[in-house]
Amino acid sequence: MARLQTTVDSLYIVDGHRQPRALNVRAVEPVASSPQAIAKGSLFVLLELGGDKQAQPALSRLVLNTIQGVYYDAAGGITGGLTEAILAAHQALVQHNVVHPEEAQLGGVSCAVLRGEELYVGVGGPAMVLVGSPQRVDQFPSEIGEDVTPLGGGEAPGIELFRSSVDSSALIIQLASEWVARVPAAKLATAAVAPDLPACLEYLEGLVPARAVFSAQAISARRLQVDPASDELEFDEDDTPEAPVADVIVEEEAVALPLAGAVLPSEEHPAPGGPASTEAEPPTG
């Protein structure tokens, strides 16, 4: 029997200075044997808010609490829960903006769920998730268009849902939209194939330009083996992982695609054909 060991850390940088805490992220990891974990797995959220005034921490907590509560309380499966949670976050922002128009905020959110070796990703508004594995780097969604509908606006955002799997190990990076706008894709791909979580965040921190606000959350997942006789956990080092195939999910029905997310070029995996792409720089340190 196999299960995943996860390590989570976040990055929040304001004008070149890393902050001690990121107030716009949430990691919920229920006890493995609990009904929540069995039905809905572990939930990881990154929220991005923006407006004429800086969002108050209380608003970020409100939206994150809404996502967490609605997701775990929702009837049905994981994708239905993600859809309800993201729409509830949108509605919470809409209500805030009506009551406090001078402090109105629009936003984007990414949700990642790990249940066993299954990975689910839900995105609403401008946000992005990278999944790095020994074989490839996937990007969800494949691109962020300029006309993407944010949370908190007059229209409900479109919600994109994806499903993949974690083989022996994976590095999941949730990114605010500013990364996509200002950092080359190949450099972001390099972060997703960093040897460990500290190296990933250190590399990302080195990419941040001055006088900007950047946030990210990274989850390292590694498969452990449970010996039924001793109940001891051991790292599964003998398996040769196959490239994960990501699925696009529509109302719980998955339509398998070879590349549901864009496979980003990195130093080990250059872009096939077409115009030349920028090679990723290896992480330092």
Side-chain angles (χ1 to χ4, degrees):
M1 181 175 65
R3 74 178 191 225
L4 295 177
Q5 180 188 57
T6 56
T7 306
V8 187
D9 203 353
S10 58
L11 186 68
Y12 191 75
I13 299 176
V14 179
D15 294 338
H17 300 286
R18 184 170 181 176
Q19 305 301 300
R21 289 184 60 199
L23 301 179
N24 63 329
V25 299
R26 179 70 54 87
V28 186
E29 299 186 276
V31 176
S33 58
S34 69
Q36 282 186 325
I38 294 171
K40 296 289 184 67
S42 297
L43 173 67
F44 307 92
V45 185
L46 184 139
L47 173 69
E48 177 184 9
L49 297 177
D52 293 337
K53 295 183 179 180
Q54 184 175 356
Q56 295 297 314
L59 179 59
S60 294
R61 286 196 300 272
L62 171 66
V63 178
L64 290 170
N65 289 344
T66 297
I67 292 171
Q68 177 181 340
V70 171
Y71 173 70
Y72 282 107
D73 289 343
I78 290 175
T79 58
L82 288 175
T83 299
E84 288 190 36
I86 294 173
L87 289 176
H90 163 68
Q91 192 59 40
L93 279 179
V94 169
Q95 293 174 352
H96 165 83
N97 294 344
V98 170
V99 177
H100 305 284
E102 72 285 355
E103 298 178 4
Q105 299 287 321
L106 300 177
V109 65
S110 66
C111 301
V113 172
L114 282 170
R115 185 180 65 175
E117 298 177 13
E118 298 174 311
L119 169 64
Y120 296 80
V121 173
V123 176
M128 181 170 287
V129 178
L130 299 181
V131 181
S133 71
Q135 298 292 333
R136 59 194 275 166
V137 176
D138 285 315
Q139 172 183 304
F140 305 104
S142 58
E143 61 180 3
I144 299 179
E146 295 182 359
D147 58 347
V148 63
T149 303
L151 277 66
E155 299 180 8
I159 299 173
E160 300 194 64
L161 299 166
F162 309 92
R163 187 177 69 192
S164 186
S165 61
V166 175
D167 290 311
S168 62
S169 63
L171 188 56
I172 304 157
I173 309 176
Q174 297 172 276
L175 298 168
S177 62
E178 196 72 9
W179 293 96
V180 182
R182 303 182 63 176
V183 178
K187 290 183 178 293
L188 295 177
T190 297
V193 295
D196 52 41
L197 199 60
C200 167
L201 294 180
E202 181 181 359
Y203 183 75
L204 284 175
E205 185 174 359
L207 299 177
V208 175
R211 303 195 62 80
V213 178
F214 278 69
S215 60
Q217 178 166 250
I219 305 103
S220 172
R222 189 172 185 185
R223 185 166 61 185
L224 302 178
Q225 287 294 333
V226 180
D227 184 348
S230 63
D231 199 33
E232 292 182 354
L233 298 175
E234 297 180 353
F235 286 108
D236 182 5
E237 297 178 345
D238 297 329
D239 289 348
T240 302
E242 298 178 356
V245 177
D247 299 333
V248 175
I249 301 173
V250 181
E251 298 180 352
E252 299 289 351
E253 294 295 329
V255 180
L257 299 175
L259 300 178
V263 178
L264 300 180
S266 69
E267 194 170 44
E268 291 84 359
H269 307 289
S277 60
T278 304
E279 291 190 351
E281 298 178 359
T284 58

